[in-house]
Amino acid sequence: MRTQVAIIGAGPAGLTLGRLLERAGIDAIIIEQRSADYVLGRIRAGVLEQSSVDLLRDLGVNARMDAEGIPHDGVELSFDGDMLRINFHELVGRRVMVYGQTEVTRDLMEARAASGARSIYEASDVAIHDFDGKRPRVSFKKDGQNHEIECDFVAGCDGFHGVSRASVPADAISIFERVYPFGWLGILVDQPPVAEELIYAHHARGFALCSMRSHTRSRYYIQVDSSEKVENWSDDRFWDELRNRINPEIAERLQTGASIEKSIAPLRSFVAEPVRFGRLFLTGDAAHIVPPTGAKGLNMAIHDVSVLASALEEFYAEQSKAGIDAYSPTVLENTWRTERFSWWMTQLLHTFPDSGDFGRRIQRADFDYLRASRIARQSLAENYTGFRV
């Protein structure tokens, strides 16, 4: 087989890139190691920045998002029960959209299938060859047969554990990482959300988040030690702990029920540098991971592939390598800015085992500064909504 761009990974990054390239008339094949059902079964968060919403609308995959997504003009922060609303619309004139990453993936997958663009699922033993030369290749097995795709470029959209970053020689890449000593225990329940907007809560017992997937399905999280096991947490224990950590009036409104999904997500900050290696480009979780506190993972991936698609379109239309050469510094500038914000939100809202009373007082001072300073609230709103000057 032959294509212009081989895309490794059929998550939202790979599918968004495929859609962007298709619109530009650039041929691309997506190669995914898992089945389509497996990809759609992954439960992920879903807070979309305004720029991500605008891009999905531009790509024509917005019908369900606009019908079912929940626009938010702000978020609530809580510190030991004291509440502070960050009004995005008033502060920066923007908003975000709550719409599950799984649903974004489904919309993109259905659009790709309808267009007839090529996707290969359940490809095993995927390997990338000669990406430092002029004729990259991607090999894999499918239904017991060996296959190979010749291409001009390879886009690594296959996540943190994928083959793309693992294919880069160790001496050609630098890794920056922080693994946090806690994770998020999350529960999904078919009950209306406790509030109209997300609530981020700091408490001496740990962080909590009240979120949602729809008007009838809610997602809640609590901070737990990294050594915790899901089986140690009954639904009743989870609800009791959540009530302890959120504002008492909010806790009174909480509608509980049997969980339909329960899991623990570890938290880490991770950046790979650079994110271009000859004709191989890393995007999304293959290039960077952020704690979910800032709701940035999906939006960073969409930003990456939009930059890459523009660079490839320039290359094929104008025979210019300017965009390709600028890909890594452009992506890394956005990456570190977003990493800083996600790290800061994590520092503000979680309890850290070694910070002690002094650390909590500093966190309280940060919260009080947000309450007192419009400039501080505006900075938070700019970062959360993805506003870029």
Side-chain angles (χ1 to χ4, degrees), residues 179-186 205-209 221-228 233 238 245 263-268 291-293 346 350-351 353:
V179 178
Y180 295 88
F182 44 73
W184 282 13
L185 171 61
R205 299 176 67 93
F207 167 78
L209 172 62
Y221 298 93
I222 58 172
Q223 174 187 345
V224 296
D225 189 83
S226 57
S227 64
E228 275 287 3
W233 287 84
F238 179 93
R245 299 186 188 190
S263 59
I264 295 178
L267 268 65
R268 62 158 36 97
T293 328
T346 303
H350 292 75
T351 57

Side-chain angles (χ1 to χ4, degrees), residues 337-365:
R337 180 171 57 243
T338 309
E339 289 278 354
R340 186 212 64 83
F341 173 67
S342 298
W343 167 85
W344 178 81
M345 286 279 285
T346 303
Q347 292 288 124
L348 172 68
L349 294 166
H350 292 75
T351 57
F352 288 79
D354 58 351
S355 64
D357 292 339
F358 179 84
R360 286 207 73 229
R361 289 298 183 97
I362 292 295
Q363 290 171 313
R364 181 72 209 200

Side-chain angles (χ1 to χ4, degrees), residues 26-253:
I26 298 170
D27 187 58
I29 299 176
I30 293 179
I31 305 102
E32 167 60 50
Q33 298 190 59
R34 303 287 191 170
S35 69
D37 288 342
Y38 180 91
V39 173
L40 286 173
R42 293 185 291 211
I43 302 296
R44 297 289 189 271
V47 177
L48 297 172
E49 295 175 356
Q50 185 66 60
S51 58
S52 298
V53 171
D54 292 343
L55 179 64
L56 294 172
R57 285 174 177 156
D58 188 44
L59 292 176
V61 290
N62 57 300
R64 282 203 314 131
M65 178 185 70
D66 286 337
E68 301 173 16
I70 307 173
H72 282 192
D73 288 332
V75 295
E76 295 270 7
L77 302 184
S78 171
F79 199 103
D80 290 343
D82 296 339
M83 304 294 292
L84 169 64
R85 182 169 185 258
I86 307 297
N87 189 326
F88 301 151
H89 190 265
E90 174 189 294
L91 291 165
V92 295
R94 293 167 71 85
R95 56 176 24 174
V96 296
M97 176 82 77
V98 174
Y99 187 62
Q101 179 173 317
T102 302
E103 306 310 318
V104 174
T105 303
R106 186 185 304 278
D107 294 341
L108 289 162
M109 196 178 286
E110 290 178 353
R112 186 169 181 83
S115 73
R118 292 179 290 178
S119 297
I120 301 167
Y121 289 92
E122 299 180 90
S124 63
D125 298 335
V126 176
I128 307 169
H129 311 273
D130 300 331
F131 54 83
D132 54 349
K134 293 185 177 181
R135 295 185 178 276
R137 295 172 292 115
V138 177
S139 63
F140 60 93
K141 288 184 179 179
K142 170 73 174 175
D143 299 327
Q145 300 294 317
N146 293 321
H147 299 272
E148 188 172 273
I149 299 175
E150 294 182 353
C151 54
D152 299 327
F153 301 99
V154 179
C157 307
D158 52 346
F160 183 77
H161 298 289
V163 68
S164 297
R165 192 181 68 252
S167 300
V168 177
D171 61 357
I173 191 169
S174 297
I175 300 299
F176 303 88
E177 185 173 27
R178 179 179 184 185
V179 178
Y180 295 88
F182 44 73
W184 282 13
L185 171 61
I187 196 170
L188 195 65
V189 61
D190 278 330
Q191 290 288 356
V194 72
E196 294 183 354
E197 296 176 338
L198 275 64
I199 300 174
Y200 290 83
H202 174 100
H203 191 273
R205 299 176 67 93
F207 167 78
L209 172 62
C210 301
S211 183
M212 65 203 69
R213 291 294 174 269
S214 69
H215 292 292
T216 59
R217 177 170 288 185
S218 301
R219 183 73 160 164
Y220 297 100
Y221 298 93
I222 58 172
Q223 174 187 345
V224 296
D225 189 83
S226 57
S227 64
E228 275 287 3
K229 305 295 183 184
V230 172
E231 53 266 27
N232 294 335
W233 287 84
S234 66
D235 288 355
D236 287 343
R237 183 187 178 193
F238 179 93
W239 295 124
D240 288 344
E241 188 61 36
L242 179 64
R243 288 191 188 95
N244 283 329
R245 299 186 188 190
I246 60 178
N247 176 281
E249 293 182 9
I250 302 295
E252 283 292 322
R253 302 203 303 262

